[in-house]
Amino acid sequence: MKDGIHPNYRDVCFVDLSNGFQFVTRSCAPAREKITLEDGRELPLFKLETTSETHPFYTGTQKSIDSLGGRVEKFRNKFKVGIKK
């Protein structure tokens, strides 16, 4: 392999800002901040707005628009969408 052309692929820590969930994975994205983990490792830190721990799709709290009080039916009745005559 040539020297100097490959990205710096290393362990990094991602933190979910909404609940503090942390996980370590490998990445080559640049980071400005660092975090010291409980095991003493100092890793680059990436702050995320949401992860699979808090996203409604993955937590099972996502609501279907069909179950929100008949909004779809009201729309279809109002605009006659999807009704064959």
Side-chain angles (χ1 to χ4, degrees), residues 44-81:
L45 173 65
F46 288 91
K47 296 179 180 178
L48 304 171
E49 294 291 323
T50 186
T51 63
S52 60
E53 286 290 312
T54 56
H55 193 280
F57 179 79
Y58 297 104
T59 60
T61 58
Q62 184 176 16
K63 296 180 182 176
S64 172
I65 60 170
D66 287 334
S67 64
L68 296 176
R71 290 184 187 175
V72 174
E73 287 303 317
K74 287 179 187 176
F75 177 83
R76 287 183 179 157
N77 290 338
K78 183 175 181 179
F79 296 104
K80 305 294 185 211
V81 176

Side-chain angles (χ1 to χ4, degrees), residues 17 21-22 28 39 56 61 81:
L17 295 178
F21 175 71
Q22 297 179 357
C28 58
D39 61 3
T61 58
V81 176

